[in-house]
Amino acid sequence: MPELPEVETVRRHLEATIPGRTIRSVRLSGKRLRAPVSRGLDRRLRGRTFVAVRRHGKYLLADLDGGLTLISHLGMSGRWLFMKRPPAKLPPHVHARIAFTQSGELWFQDPRRFGLLELVNTGAVSRSPGLSQLGPDPIASPPTGESLRAIGCRARTPIKTFLLDQKRIAGIGNIYASEILHRAGVDPRRRAMALSAADWKAIAGETSAVLEEAIARMGTTFSAYRTLWNEPGSYGSQLLVYDRGGEPCRRCGTPIRRVVQAQRSTFFCPACQKRRK
DNA sequence: ATCCTATCCTGTAGGC
DNA sequence: TGCCTACAGGATAGGA
């Protein structure tokens, strides 16, 4: 679910909400997420104050005083929710409840439990598993045709799969990979190493454009994703190919095709995205 | 080294 | 209505 635009939306909302708030208590569900929640996370967070919220790819980094950083990843179904007045009845799948001395609670909810909560020393963030291997963030360091070609010109993998590889570029997921390639006019099945300089330039430009436009609309909501305020994102209405198998291409009317690559659905227009270019 | 496959988990949509 | 299967926005250990 949450890709870079959704995670960036949550980051901005967290940044506007939690810095300056001090943690009174943390309650954990005890359930294992993608990995076990850091041991003693509840005890170590007590009394700490949030300072800032950063992001790298799909990872959120919430810095606290005392040199600590709370790393989180939303996986497929995770959400951060800020509850001004927490309801008496706890909804299902809330794995962390962070209560503040000021007011309000911050909840981490994740039905499928593919998410991640980890507490590390701020200086050790980049050595944390997952983050240590991450490629450049396309918002912090916008890709160029040349920068992408440099990392992709020897990759035998299809360009769609290439864009999903977080070690190469951090933050693109299944929705935006299809959208970027459609707007760039590149067939998702072509091997990265076979792309021309013009193809790479188009992909680089559309990567920035699609991600920025999606951020402006607070991301894409199909079902689960919500912002910190429990609101859906509205980029779904802008999608040109994702989840539109069989429907007419908005540009040329040709039916959108769905194929499976590396166990994931890919959507593309066979007319707008020709093999050769 | 590189790439593909199966797997973690729950919720939901669609076929019957 | 219910039962069953397929599939879902992600990441990763293991095998080829």
Side-chain angles (χ1 to χ4, degrees):
Chain A
M1 173 205 62
E3 307 181 25
L4 188 151
E6 293 76 33
V7 178
E8 173 62 13
T9 300
V10 173
R11 186 201 70 78
R12 291 179 181 187
H13 289 182
L14 285 170
E15 178 73 34
T17 309
I18 62 172
R21 284 185 189 265
T22 300
I23 295 170
R24 189 182 68 210
S25 69
V26 179
R27 274 172 290 186
L28 303 173
S29 69
K31 291 258 178 79
R32 182 200 161 95
L33 302 179
R34 185 205 309 170
V37 173
S38 302
R39 219 156 36 85
L41 175 140
D42 44 356
R43 175 179 50 77
R44 294 168 67 199
L45 279 179
R46 206 173 304 142
R48 299 267 73 95
T49 301
F50 281 110
V51 172
V53 186
R54 299 177 286 145
R55 181 190 57 73
H56 186 167
K58 302 173 194 170
Y59 286 83
L60 284 165
L61 312 167
D63 296 320
L64 302 113
D65 63 356
L68 291 175
T69 296
L70 177 61
I71 301 176
S72 59
H73 191 292
L74 302 176
M76 289 280 248
S77 58
R79 308 171 175 168
W80 279 112
L81 293 170
F82 187 80
M83 314 298 292
K84 272 189 171 153
R85 299 199 55 224
K89 188 160 176 280
L90 191 69
H93 311 302
V94 175
H95 301 294
R97 301 169 64 181
I98 300 176
F100 298 107
T101 59
Q102 288 84 354
S103 69
E105 291 191 7
L106 186 61
W107 290 3
F108 186 81
Q109 183 182 38
D110 185 7
R112 292 179 71 178
R113 290 195 272 134
F114 292 165
L116 186 74
L117 283 180
E118 192 186 5
L119 188 62
V120 301
N121 291 323
T122 303
V125 162
S126 60
R127 273 173 279 137
S128 156
L131 279 156
S132 64
Q133 303 247 66
L134 229 46
D137 183 276
I139 297 297
S141 325
T144 65
E146 277 311 302
S147 73
L148 286 188
R149 197 159 73 102
I151 55 176
C153 64
R154 277 181 300 279
R156 311 159 66 85
T157 197
I159 182 60
K160 157 69 172 3
T161 310
F162 176 91
L163 290 177
L164 287 183
D165 185 345
Q166 306 297 300
K167 299 195 236 354
R168 289 164 158 141
I169 321 160
I172 299 172
N174 211 35
I175 295 177
Y176 298 109
S178 282
E179 294 299 309
I180 289 164
L181 290 175
H182 180 258
R183 291 177 39 156
V186 174
D187 188 313
R189 300 165 297 182
R190 293 176 66 198
R191 287 173 187 267
M193 62 192 292
L195 298 185
S196 68
D199 292 326
W200 285 116
K201 188 177 176 194
I203 291 168
E206 296 299 344
T207 294
S208 294
V210 168
L211 296 178
E212 297 279 6
E213 287 167 29
I215 289 169
R217 289 177 171 268
M218 302 204 300
T220 303
T221 293
F222 278 110
S223 57
Y225 162 74
R226 290 291 188 281
T227 72
L228 190 65
W229 312 118
N230 205 12
E231 298 157 333
S234 67
Y235 191 75
S237 61
Q238 310 296 305
L239 296 177
L240 297 177
V241 288
Y242 186 81
D243 203 28
R244 298 193 63 241
E247 295 173 38
C249 173
R250 296 197 202 279
R251 204 154 82 192
C252 75
T254 304
I256 299 299
R257 272 195 66 190
R258 173 186 180 270
V259 295
V260 174
Q261 299 180 280
Q263 331 308 127
R264 317 289 303 278
S265 292
T266 301
F267 299 89
F268 69 104
C269 170
C272 295
Q273 297 166 265
K274 287 286 189 195
R275 275 199 167 277
R276 306 179 141 283
K277 202 183 165 192

